[in-house]
Amino acid sequence: MEEKIENMEKIEKIAENLINLTVKDIIFLEKILKEKHGISPISLSEHNNEIKNNNNNNNNNNNKKEEKTIFNVVLNSPGNSKLKVIKGIKDLIGKSLTESKNLVDTAPGSILKNNVSKEEAENLKKKLEELGAEIELK
C-alpha cells in the first residue's frame, strides 16, 4: 500500500511540473520523448481524423439522430479588441500570455479548447464574444 501512495505523490509532482511548463519546455519535452523513448504525440490533425472516424462509425451504427455533446471552441476573429481577447483567453482557458497571443495571432481557425462539454463551450463562447471575439463551436 505504501508504494502506491509514494507513486501517487510522484505522479502528482510530475503533473504539477507539467502544468508549469512553457511552450519552449513542452517542445523540448516532446523532442526528448520522441528521440530517446520513441514516444510521439498524436498530431492535432490525426486526433481530429480519429474523432471524425469515430463519429462516422457512431452515426452509421445509430439510425436515430443524436445531439452533439462534445465541442471544440474555435477563434475565428479577435474582433476590434485584440488585447481584451488575449487576456480573456488567458483567464478563461488558462493559457499563458504567450500562448494566448499566439492563438489570437493565428486566427481564424485557432482551436482554443478541445473536446469540451456543450455547456462549457457555450459559456466560453458567450464570455469571449462579450469581449469582441468571433467564436465558433465545432
Side-chain angles (χ1 to χ4, degrees):
M1 274 297 204
E2 275 186 37
E3 187 175 317
K4 287 184 181 179
I5 293 172
E6 184 178 316
N7 286 335
M8 284 300 289
E9 290 173 2
K10 287 179 185 177
I11 291 169
E12 286 175 358
K13 286 180 184 177
I14 291 170
E16 192 171 310
N17 288 332
L18 286 173
I19 290 171
N20 295 319
L21 291 177
T22 65
V23 174
K24 277 185 173 180
D25 294 337
I26 292 170
I27 291 169
F28 185 67
L29 175 62
E30 177 185 7
K31 183 178 178 182
I32 290 172
L33 290 173
K34 188 174 184 177
E35 290 176 0
K36 290 188 177 182
H37 303 285
I39 300 170
S40 180
I42 188 168
S43 72
L44 184 58
S45 61
E46 289 172 341
H47 179 69
N48 286 341
N49 286 339
E50 280 186 23
I51 291 172
K52 287 177 187 175
N53 288 338
N54 288 339
N55 286 342
N56 287 340
N57 290 339
N58 288 340
N59 288 340
N60 290 339
N61 293 335
N62 298 327
N63 289 334
K64 58 185 175 181
K65 199 169 194 171
E66 294 181 15
E67 183 179 337
K68 189 172 180 180
T69 57
I70 302 295
F71 293 88
N72 293 336
V73 181
V74 179
L75 176 66
N76 286 332
S77 169
N80 292 330
S81 45
K82 189 174 177 179
L83 291 175
K84 285 182 184 179
V85 174
I86 291 171
K87 185 172 179 349
I89 291 170
K90 180 183 176 292
D91 294 342
L92 294 170
I93 299 175
K95 301 282 186 185
S96 71
L97 189 58
T98 303
E99 291 172 311
S100 300
K101 183 183 180 305
N102 288 340
L103 287 168
V104 169
D105 288 342
T106 58
S110 300
I111 298 176
L112 302 178
K113 201 157 186 187
N114 278 318
N115 302 325
V116 295
S117 68
K118 182 178 182 179
E119 182 179 321
E120 183 180 0
E122 288 176 345
N123 187 33
L124 284 171
K125 180 180 179 182
K126 179 183 174 197
K127 289 180 179 179
L128 289 169
E129 284 180 341
E130 287 173 358
L131 297 174
E134 184 182 316
I135 303 294
E136 181 180 357
L137 303 180
K138 290 186 176 181

